[in-house]
């Protein structure tokens, strides 16, 4: 991850590969948003903007010669869109603009960021965006190709607050958050031949140790222990693979905790659909079906690194959904943790099965609130597209998640759980089915299924199926591939519970 520091020097005097400044759209054209740039240079840029193709639109990035008045090699103009009525810029706008600029600087060694950062919120947004934009997954590339993609290694953010303790604290938080998001991205991007349930469990142990998450205890149940413990959902999904399932539990329990929260993550390390086989094209991104578990792992680690006074327990429900002679079949009946029986009507509706076991375990352990996060349904993408996640569940917790998402800048939309869809759970041979015969409201039906396993515990379900993996062009601070979505919202939720 890039090294980020604060500076109070005049940005134009700092020698670096690039100096990043903002541009914004105005009624007269384009304005440069940089108080400390030489006036002559500002006038030149604004007058030449039409010929340079600069409009100031959000996510527009243009690189121009720096000129003799600037010590950096090049000037990077990153669009901020239009100002708010009070003359400022939305925090997510700053985050996006910083990330978009830094993302385009792959291969450069260092950069100075001179975007609005006059208070803690603005500084935090700029720092987060810059760090999130400084990402590339190069593990499997040749050294020469990897070098061209290597993100900026040193970032300096110019701010008048550079000496304050609060500014340093905001920067430190941004570094922890970015490490959590990037760690999640790395896991999602890892190919399934290298990341299978047991390997994921090892990665969880390594993340706790290597990132310095003090006070986090890791326990792992293997396939035999899962069967013995009555975890029929996880065991059933994983029985078709030669690489057995796991349930990883991460416990962070600080003294004097203000709240006790559980987070359950779906960790299907590869999803073929099982016997209800997906079409070939539908499998191409199914290494990402463990994005929920990756987000849970790194949220718990981040909470511990920040020392939040909230007890957090993460449950990583890990399995590989494969077709084989030992695979789960349509019409099988499995007994879940806690005793409910489920008739399997579609083996490709496997995520809710592993999640149900995790939810029961979380409720058994006793928590003030239980969250779950999963790449659960294709219906989420049909309803909300590839950038907006869904949240449903108990009204109060659902709204708390939505508020946290709004604060950190992740798009989530609250969804209902219509009572009439619950009738689709009925089975003729078991307590319930895992998939409804009617495809209408598929995302909401899955929510109803999960609700059966939480009882009266306050709960929210986050469906991140589309936003977890970006198959199209990079945008803002979001790369192609794993996005790390959900980590910032989950951490924001925990910070809210901590009163931070």
């Amino acid at each position: 991850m890039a090294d980020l520091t604060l500076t109070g020097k005049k940005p134009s005097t700092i020698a670096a590969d690039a100096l990043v400044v903002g541009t914004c759209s105005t009624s007269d054209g384009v304005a440069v948003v940089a108080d400390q740039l030489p006036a002559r240079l500002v006038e030149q840029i604004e007058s030449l903007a039409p010929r340079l193709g600069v409009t100031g639109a959000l996510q527009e990035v243009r690189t121009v010669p720096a000129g003799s008045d600037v010590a950096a090699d090049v000037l990077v103009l990153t669009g901020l869109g239009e100002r708010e009525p009070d003359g400022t810029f939305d925090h997510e706008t700053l985050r996006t603009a910083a990330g978009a600029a830094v993302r385009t600087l792959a291969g450069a060694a260092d950069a100075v960021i001179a975007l609005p950062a006059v208070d803690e919120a603005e500084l935090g947004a700029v720092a987060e965006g810059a760090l999130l934009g400084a990402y590339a997954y190069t593990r499997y590339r040749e050294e020469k190709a990897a070098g061209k993609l290597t993100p900026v290694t040193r970032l300096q953010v110019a701010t008048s607050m550079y000496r304050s303790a609060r500014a340093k604290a905001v920067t430190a938080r941004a570094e922890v958050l970015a490490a959590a998001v990037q760690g999640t991205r790395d896991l999602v991007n890892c190919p399934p031949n290298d990341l299978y349930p047991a390997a994921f469990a090892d990665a969880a142990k390594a993340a706790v140790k290597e990132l310095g998450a003090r006070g986090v205890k890791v326990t792992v149940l293997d396939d035999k222990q899962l069967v013995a413990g009555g975890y029929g959902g996880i065991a059933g999904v994983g029985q078709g693979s030669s690489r057995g399932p796991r349930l990883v539990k991460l416990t962070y329990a600080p003294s004097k905790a203000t709240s006790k929260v559980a987070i359950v993550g779906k960790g299907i390390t590869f999803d073929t659909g099982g016997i209800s086989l997906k079409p070939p094209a539908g499998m191409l991104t199914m290494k990402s079906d463990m994005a929920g578990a990756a987000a849970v792992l790194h949220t718990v680690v981040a909470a511990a690194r920040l020392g939040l006074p909230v007890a957090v327990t993460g449950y990583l429900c890990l399995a590989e959904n494969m077709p084989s002679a030992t695979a789960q079949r349509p019409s099988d009946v499995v007994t879940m943790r806690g005793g409910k029986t489920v008739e399997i009507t579609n083996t490709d509706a496997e995520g809710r099965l592993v999640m149900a076991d995790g939810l029961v375990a979380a409720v058994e352990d006793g928590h003030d609130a239980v969250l779950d996060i999963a790449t659960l349904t294709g219906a989420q993408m049909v309803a909300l597209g590839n950038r907006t996640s869904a949240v449903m569940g108990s009204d109060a917790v659902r709204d708390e998640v939505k508020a946290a998402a709004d604060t950190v800048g992740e798009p989530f939309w609250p969804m209902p759980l219509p009572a009439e869809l619950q009738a689709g759970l009925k089975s003729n041979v078991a307590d319930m089915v895992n998939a409804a015969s009617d495809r209408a409201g598929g995302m909401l039906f899955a929510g109803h299924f999960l609700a059966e396993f939480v009882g009266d515990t306050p709960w929210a379900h986050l469906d991140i199926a589309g936003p977890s993996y970006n198959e199209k062009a990079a945008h803002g601070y979001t790369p192609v591939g794993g996005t790390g979505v959900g980590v910032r919202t989950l951490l924001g939720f925990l910070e809210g519970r901590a009163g931070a």
Side-chain angles (χ1 to χ4, degrees):
M1 191 173 75
D3 177 51
L4 188 144
T5 57
L6 305 180
T7 180
K9 295 180 181 179
K10 188 180 257 188
S12 61
T13 66
I14 303 174
D17 288 341
L19 170 60
V20 177
V21 299
T23 58
C24 71
S25 306
T26 71
S27 58
D28 298 327
V30 176
V32 174
V33 185
D35 295 337
Q36 298 187 58
L37 276 188
R40 183 176 63 175
L41 178 60
V42 170
E43 291 173 4
Q44 288 177 338
I45 294 172
E46 292 178 347
S47 64
L48 291 172
R51 279 175 281 177
L52 294 172
V54 176
T55 68
L58 184 61
Q59 299 206 45
E60 174 188 84
V61 180
R62 297 284 186 270
T63 301
V64 300
S68 59
D69 293 330
V70 174
D73 295 340
V74 297
L75 201 60
V76 178
L77 309 176
T78 185
L80 294 163
E82 296 183 2
R83 294 181 185 271
E84 296 290 312
D86 63 359
T88 63
F89 295 95
D90 177 80
H91 298 147
E92 178 62 10
T93 293
L94 294 174
R95 195 178 288 114
T96 298
V102 171
R103 185 170 49 75
T104 65
L105 289 171
D110 56 0
V112 179
I113 314 295
L115 293 174
V118 299
D119 60 31
E120 293 174 22
E122 288 186 346
L123 174 59
V126 171
E128 287 173 23
L131 290 169
L132 292 174
Y135 175 82
Y137 188 69
T138 60
R139 177 177 170 182
Y140 295 88
R141 294 183 181 273
E142 292 183 353
E143 185 176 346
K144 184 176 180 181
K148 294 179 180 178
L149 296 172
T150 301
V152 176
T153 55
R154 295 185 302 278
L155 294 166
Q156 293 185 71
V157 176
T159 175
S160 59
M161 301 174 59
Y162 71 103
R163 285 182 175 173
S164 83
R166 284 301 304 157
K168 293 175 182 177
V170 165
T171 303
R173 178 192 176 277
E175 290 173 334
V176 170
L177 183 147
V181 172
Q182 294 194 12
T184 301
R185 290 172 177 174
D186 283 348
L187 286 170
V188 174
N189 287 328
C190 190
N193 56 320
D194 283 345
L195 188 71
Y196 44 91
F200 200 136
D202 290 340
K205 296 175 184 176
V208 169
K209 182 178 180 179
E210 293 170 7
L211 291 173
R214 295 181 181 178
V216 176
K217 178 183 178 183
V218 183
T219 56
V220 181
L221 298 183
D222 63 19
D223 42 359
K224 293 181 180 179
Q225 292 170 312
L226 288 168
V227 171
Y231 293 90
I234 301 174
V237 172
Q239 72 188 41
S241 175
S242 61
R243 306 188 292 188
R246 297 288 187 273
L247 177 62
V248 179
K249 181 178 176 181
L250 302 110
T251 306
Y252 167 61
S255 60
K256 300 180 180 178
T258 58
S259 185
K260 188 176 182 183
V261 177
I263 317 176
V264 181
K266 175 185 173 184
I268 303 299
T269 56
F270 192 74
D271 183 18
T272 66
I275 297 297
S276 305
L277 196 67
K278 294 179 183 289
M283 292 188 211
L284 290 177
T285 61
M286 284 300 101
K287 67 177 184 178
S288 70
D289 211 16
M290 36 55 67
V296 170
L297 163 61
H298 282 285
T299 297
V300 176
V301 168
R305 292 185 67 192
L306 292 173
L308 297 183
V310 177
V312 189
T313 307
Y315 301 80
L316 315 184
C317 306
L318 310 176
E320 188 175 50
N321 189 23
M322 301 290 284
S324 73
T326 61
Q328 190 167 248
R329 295 157 292 249
S331 294
D332 279 359
V333 174
V334 297
T335 302
M336 312 294 287
R337 176 78 175 180
K340 287 184 185 293
T341 57
V342 177
E343 178 188 4
I344 306 303
T345 52
N346 185 344
T347 65
D348 195 24
E350 86 298 330
R352 64 201 66 178
L353 297 173
V354 302
M355 294 293 281
D357 276 350
L359 287 169
V360 172
V363 171
E364 288 174 346
D365 289 342
H367 292 88
D368 300 328
V370 174
L371 308 182
D372 76 72
I373 181 168
T375 50
L376 204 64
T377 66
Q380 178 275 324
M381 291 179 274
V382 174
L384 297 174
N386 293 316
R387 295 193 188 181
T388 301
S389 302
V391 57
M392 60 202 81
S394 309
D395 289 354
V397 183
R398 179 200 64 201
D399 293 348
E400 195 175 347
V401 170
K402 177 64 167 65
D406 290 346
T407 298
V408 303
E410 286 193 320
F412 272 80
W413 195 254
M415 302 299 289
L417 290 174
E420 69 272 13
L421 294 181
Q422 196 169 21
L425 292 169
K426 185 179 179 181
S427 166
N428 292 326
V429 297
D431 293 329
M432 56 200 298
V433 296
N434 78 316
S437 57
D438 187 351
R439 295 182 63 188
M443 172 174 55
L444 312 181
F445 173 86
H448 270 299
F449 181 92
L450 297 178
E452 293 291 315
F453 297 89
V454 296
D456 297 328
T457 301
W459 157 77
H461 160 56
L462 288 67
D463 193 334
I464 59 169
S468 66
Y469 196 85
N470 179 23
E471 297 183 66
K472 299 182 180 179
H475 56 90
Y477 48 78
T478 302
V480 173
T483 65
V485 73
V487 171
R488 293 189 291 138
T489 293
L490 293 173
L491 191 60
F493 179 94
L494 296 176
E495 289 175 323
R497 288 275 168 140

